[in-house]
Amino acid sequence: MKLISGLLFLAFILLINSVSAQTSPLCVNGVVNLKSYRPEKDPPIKLSGEWLFAWKKLASEAELKTAEKYTTVPGNWTPFNSDANFFNKSFGYATYGLTILLPKAGENWALLLPPLPSAYKLFVDGKLVATMGEVDTSSNMIPKSVSKLVYFTAKSDKVFLLLQLSNYHFSSGGMWSSITIGSPEKITEISDKSFIADAFLVGSLLIMGIYHLAIFAMRRKEKAALFLPYYAWH
């Protein structure tokens, strides 16, 4: 069993490494320069760094650019929620914005959105391209948090991403993971491999859980065999 566990762990690590995206260049002052990026050859880019930010406001592109306030992505928005008590620090809503300078106009692009807490609307150049759950400025929001693929065609060599995000359910709020951009083919490949990695992890835990339950069935006095299945799913 130790050999099987070791092989499963090694295979999982190799699989995780194969789905990683390039982490640079970083966004600076709400802008990321991808002018020299080659979408068909270069790995996808994680849009990490300084995003435009408006706390407790479902803002427009013009409002974000006028305010010129920033926050770091990935990151938690709890520092902005100083008036809330300890248990509600992660609750609230905000708008994030980012200008992306592209190599040229007319190209097809894809975005991979990670699971974000806990509802959002994503706009590309003012057009709504993705929703998750139902955004609201109160606990009336409807939460939903899964990864999502978005495809779009750039009408010019510059696009603006605007993300309205609200959370009144999760214990951590904000953009805790970065959006990834790249060619549709490469982003789809990353999404597929991420799904396989998740399925692999769940399957591995299930196999180990069944193994320990079988040990307990044969030796009912050794209750320690139940500890792994319990903690693996809690």
Side-chain angles (χ1 to χ4, degrees), residues 204-216:
S204 300
L205 292 173
L206 181 61
I207 291 172
M208 289 188 285
I210 293 173
Y211 172 80
H212 281 263
L213 289 174
I215 292 177
F216 175 73

Side-chain angles (χ1 to χ4, degrees), residues 36-52:
S36 60
Y37 178 69
R38 301 167 300 174
E40 300 303 326
K41 296 182 179 180
D42 297 334
I45 296 284
K46 285 186 177 294
L47 300 175
S48 303
E50 295 176 337
W51 284 57
L52 289 163

Side-chain angles (χ1 to χ4, degrees), residues 165-206:
L165 180 67
S166 65
N167 173 52
Y168 286 90
H169 293 267
F170 285 29
S171 60
S172 181
M175 286 185 68
W176 55 19
S177 297
S178 299
I179 296 173
T180 304
I181 188 171
S183 70
E185 295 77 16
K186 290 184 179 296
I187 289 294
T188 301
E189 181 182 1
I190 284 184
S191 178
D192 292 342
K193 288 183 177 180
S194 295
F195 175 80
I196 294 172
D198 291 341
F200 183 88
L201 178 60
V202 172
S204 300
L205 292 173
L206 181 61

Side-chain angles (χ1 to χ4, degrees), residues 130-196:
T131 60
M132 189 63 62
E134 186 172 317
V135 175
D136 198 279
T137 58
S138 70
S139 57
N140 292 327
M141 60 157 295
I142 299 175
K144 188 176 181 181
S145 183
V146 296
S147 61
K148 189 176 183 69
L149 276 173
V150 175
Y151 302 96
F152 69 94
T153 300
K155 295 182 179 180
S156 72
D157 61 353
K158 180 173 66 175
V159 298
F160 187 81
L161 302 187
L162 187 144
L163 182 78
Q164 296 177 341
L165 180 67
S166 65
N167 173 52
Y168 286 90
H169 293 267
F170 285 29
S171 60
S172 181
M175 286 185 68
W176 55 19
S177 297
S178 299
I179 296 173
T180 304
I181 188 171
S183 70
E185 295 77 16
K186 290 184 179 296
I187 289 294
T188 301
E189 181 182 1
I190 284 184
S191 178
D192 292 342
K193 288 183 177 180
S194 295
F195 175 80
I196 294 172

